[in-house]
Amino acid sequence: MSLENLPILIILVLSVIGQNQSVSLAAAILLIIKLLGFDNWFPILENKGISIGITILTLAILAPIAAGRINLRNMVDSLATPVGLLAVLTGIFAAWLGGRGVSFFQISPDVMTSLIIGTIVGVSFFQGIAVGPLIAAGMLSLVLGLYNKFGS
């Protein structure tokens, strides 16, 4: 195994130590793809992976509605509470940040490494989940935009 594989191996080890199955599985699959010589899969994963992952995440979120555990009445009732309205606003803000994050990843791929390291630490040692890089990139984009506008 070459030194080229060391970063993904470190991520695999850290995620195993931190007992994070999602990151461990992802790192192991990528390492296996690399070791088997299927490097031509990486551009596909880079270009389509986020979209496929978001689709799978959305399926999981919508499943209770499709299963009938959440109905239209539940949805309307939740909007009639202050917490429900705040949840809608928070959801809008998080989705907007995630969108900024995807764009930021595309124009600043060099920052991706630091965001991924932060996400791995958050997931592995602070009980976070791996949706963090998109939101983190959106937050970073927002902070950098504000700094560039108002900073010194």
Side-chain angles (χ1 to χ4, degrees):
M1 186 165 18
S2 70
L3 287 178
E4 184 177 273
N5 297 323
L6 191 58
I8 197 73
L9 188 58
I10 290 170
I11 291 168
L12 176 59
V13 169
L14 287 175
S15 62
V16 169
I17 290 169
Q19 299 178 347
N20 188 281
Q21 293 177 345
S22 298
V23 176
S24 298
L25 183 60
I29 289 170
L30 291 170
L31 187 59
I32 290 167
I33 289 170
K34 179 76 173 168
L35 293 174
L36 291 176
F38 295 125
D39 293 37
N40 56 332
W41 289 12
F42 290 133
I44 297 166
L45 288 171
E46 288 179 44
N47 292 328
K48 302 291 184 194
I50 289 175
S51 179
I52 292 167
I54 289 171
T55 300
I56 292 170
L57 181 62
T58 303
L59 282 168
I61 290 168
L62 295 177
I65 296 170
R69 286 190 300 281
I70 298 174
N71 59 35
L72 187 57
R73 185 77 189 141
N74 300 130
M75 293 163 63
V76 170
D77 288 348
S78 75
L79 293 174
T81 67
V83 172
L85 292 175
L86 187 57
V88 169
L89 294 174
T90 304
I92 291 168
F93 184 61
W96 177 75
L97 280 176
R100 284 184 67 111
V102 170
S103 299
F104 190 71
F105 270 156
Q106 291 169 347
I107 60 172
S108 300
D110 53 313
V111 178
M112 189 181 306
T113 302
S114 298
L115 289 170
I116 290 171
I117 290 169
T119 298
I120 290 167
V121 170
V123 166
S124 298
F125 301 105
F126 296 100
Q127 291 76 48
I129 57 172
V131 296
L134 294 178
I135 303 293
M139 291 169 61
L140 179 60
S141 170
L142 181 62
V143 169
L144 289 175
L146 291 171
Y147 178 79
N148 288 337
K149 188 170 188 171
F150 301 112
S152 50

